[in-house]
Amino acid sequence: MTTPPEPPPDHEPAPASGDEPTRARGGAPDGAAGSSPSGPPRGAPSDGAPVPVLTDADADADAGTGPTPDPGTGPGPASRVRRFWSVRRIPAAVLAALVLGGAGLLLYDVAAVRAGRTAMAWRRELADGLATRPLDDTWVVVGAAVAVVLGLWLLILAATPGLRAILPMRREHAYVRAGLDREAAALALRDRAMEVSGVQSVRVRVGRSKVAVKAASHFRALDEVRADVEAAVAAGVDELALAHPPALTVRVARPPRKA
């Protein structure tokens, strides 16, 4: 005669107070995912080194909400602001065309002479003139002067930046360069001067190192108008953020009377 097996209990008995699971104490239970019963948790260093902790500043930096660097600082120290250099396509194209044409014509004539033909008339006359004319001849002096002028012009073009119509602006970042056209700067300063009370008309001329303002005032004292115009234009020059702020001269006069 066999005894029937006892039915399983409906619920497991509650653990004793001393056997509280690890989860209730803030730790991970035994056998949790990412851990091994015989080793450290997954991703933890095995040599006993301290685990890196993500601070609030690092989290803000990753999220893009943390303190941003100074906008005036770039990846490197800002270099000295220099003028923009012109590519000078027209002088380069003209010089290249002249050199190419002269060299090609001379090479063709030399090849023709080597082939048994006579040299061109211009080359024979040029050779005879260089052999017979004295150095104080008028055409020799004129040709030498023209060659010197052309050489000096090419040297000046090679040594100067050009682009005088573009004023370099301050470099807020080391990798960004900006320039302002002189006509645009003059228009902006003219608008600032026209806002002054008593000014009827203004003419502004912007140079590389000087700003000349000529205004006509139909009422108010000229000294007061001149002071206000000078203050307004000076503030406008500062707002242009030029690398080399130009000097300012202001002249205010009465408009001419109509006949």
Side-chain angles (χ1 to χ4, degrees):
M1 181 175 183
T2 60
T3 303
E6 296 181 0
D10 297 336
H11 61 278
E12 297 180 359
S17 58
D19 298 333
E20 183 180 359
T22 310
R23 183 185 302 273
R25 296 196 302 267
D30 296 340
S35 64
S36 174
S38 60
R42 182 182 303 172
S46 58
D47 55 353
V51 179
V53 179
L54 182 63
T55 61
D56 295 339
D58 298 335
D60 294 340
D62 294 340
T65 59
T68 57
D70 186 5
T73 59
S79 59
R80 181 183 175 185
V81 179
R82 301 181 183 273
R83 291 174 54 190
F84 291 88
W85 281 77
S86 173
V87 293
R88 294 187 173 94
R89 294 185 178 90
I90 295 179
V94 171
L95 181 61
L98 291 177
V99 172
L100 182 62
L105 187 61
L106 181 61
L107 181 62
Y108 171 78
D109 190 53
V110 171
V113 171
R114 293 295 183 181
R117 298 182 181 180
T118 58
M120 292 184 179
W122 65 269
R123 195 159 75 93
R124 293 197 305 268
E125 294 179 1
L126 180 61
D128 295 340
L130 293 177
T132 57
R133 289 181 182 272
L135 296 179
D136 58 351
D137 186 73
T138 304
W139 290 107
V140 174
V141 174
V142 170
V146 171
V148 169
V149 170
L150 289 177
L152 290 177
W153 180 55
L154 293 176
L155 290 177
I156 292 174
L157 290 180
T160 55
L163 293 181
R164 299 174 61 88
I166 298 180
L167 301 175
M169 302 177 67
R170 290 195 296 264
R171 300 188 68 172
E172 299 295 339
H173 302 277
Y175 47 82
V176 177
R177 294 191 64 192
L180 182 63
D181 188 77
R182 287 165 56 180
E183 295 183 0
L187 183 60
L189 297 179
R190 177 185 176 276
D191 294 340
R192 292 298 299 267
M194 287 296 298
E195 296 176 358
V196 177
S197 176
V199 175
Q200 184 179 14
S201 61
V202 180
R203 294 180 59 186
V204 180
R205 183 176 178 272
V206 178
R208 290 177 44 236
S209 60
K210 184 178 179 181
V211 175
V213 180
K214 296 181 180 180
S217 175
H218 56 292
F219 70 93
R220 294 183 64 195
L222 294 182
D223 294 339
E224 297 178 359
V225 176
R226 183 182 298 108
D228 293 345
V229 170
E230 186 173 356
V233 175
V237 170
D238 186 66
E239 292 177 356
L240 294 179
L242 299 178
H244 308 286
L248 178 61
T249 58
V250 179
R251 296 177 56 187
V252 180
R254 295 297 183 188
R257 295 182 179 181
K258 297 181 179 180

